[in-house]
Amino acid sequence: MRDDYDYDDDLSYNDFDDEDEDDDFGVTFEEDLYLMIREKLRDTIQEFKASYPSLKKLESSVSAFRVNAKNTDDSKFYPLAAKLLSEHIKPLTDDSEEIQEIYDNMQKDIARFKNQRAHGYEGEFYLSA
C-alpha cells in the first residue's frame, strides 16, 4: 500500500498559503502607517464623494500629491511624506467641514509616527483600513 502514497502530491508544502505573512515582509512601521493613511483617505473619498461634492476637490488634490525626497530612509521619508500630504490638503479645510474633519482625524494617525503606541483614528468619516 505504500506504493499508492505519493509524497510530493499528498504533502506538498508548496501549496501552503502564507499570503498574509508575505504582505508585511520588508515593510517598515513608517511605510505601513503612511500607506494606511493613504488608504483611509482613498476609501473615505470613494465612500462619501457622492454625498459631499467638496470631496471631489480633495480627491483631485490627493491624487496629484507627489513627494520627491531622494536618498531618504523609510524612518524619515514616510513621516515627511505624511506631513507634506497633510500640509497639501490643509488649505482645502476652509472649503468644507467634511474636509476639516478628515484632516483632523488624519492628524491622529500622523501622531503615531512619533509615538507608535498611540491610537490612530478609527471612525466613520475617515474610514479604517
Side-chain angles (χ1 to χ4, degrees):
M1 295 296 169
R2 284 186 175 250
D3 294 336
D4 295 334
Y5 185 78
D6 186 349
Y7 182 81
D8 291 333
D9 290 340
D10 293 338
L11 290 176
S12 176
Y13 291 105
N14 294 333
D15 295 336
F16 181 72
D17 185 14
D18 61 348
E19 273 185 45
D20 293 336
E21 292 177 26
D22 286 346
D23 288 346
D24 292 336
F25 183 74
V27 176
T28 63
F29 170 80
E30 291 83 6
E31 181 180 5
D32 192 40
L33 180 57
Y34 178 72
L35 294 174
M36 181 198 67
I37 290 169
R38 291 293 301 238
E39 185 176 347
K40 283 183 174 183
L41 280 171
R42 184 196 69 225
D43 291 351
T44 300
I45 291 167
Q46 292 305 311
E47 179 75 23
F48 296 108
K49 73 180 179 182
S51 302
Y52 302 98
S54 62
L55 295 187
K56 290 179 183 174
K57 191 172 182 180
L58 177 62
E59 178 181 40
S60 176
S61 181
V62 169
S63 65
F65 176 74
R66 301 287 181 265
V67 177
N68 187 6
K70 295 178 180 172
N71 300 324
T72 307
D73 67 2
D74 285 1
S75 66
K76 293 181 180 135
F77 175 80
Y78 290 105
L80 174 64
K83 179 182 178 218
L84 294 174
L85 175 60
S86 174
E87 290 173 359
H88 182 74
I89 66 173
K90 186 169 177 51
L92 300 176
T93 60
D94 295 334
D95 293 350
S96 79
E97 291 176 18
E98 294 79 26
I99 295 175
Q100 179 67 52
E101 185 177 343
I102 291 169
Y103 174 83
D104 292 342
N105 295 336
M106 185 176 143
Q107 296 308 305
K108 293 175 183 163
D109 281 334
I110 290 174
R112 293 182 66 206
F113 283 110
K114 291 181 182 170
N115 180 1
Q116 293 183 14
R117 293 183 178 170
H119 291 287
Y121 180 81
E122 292 184 20
E124 273 188 54
F125 210 67
Y126 178 64
L127 300 176
S128 14

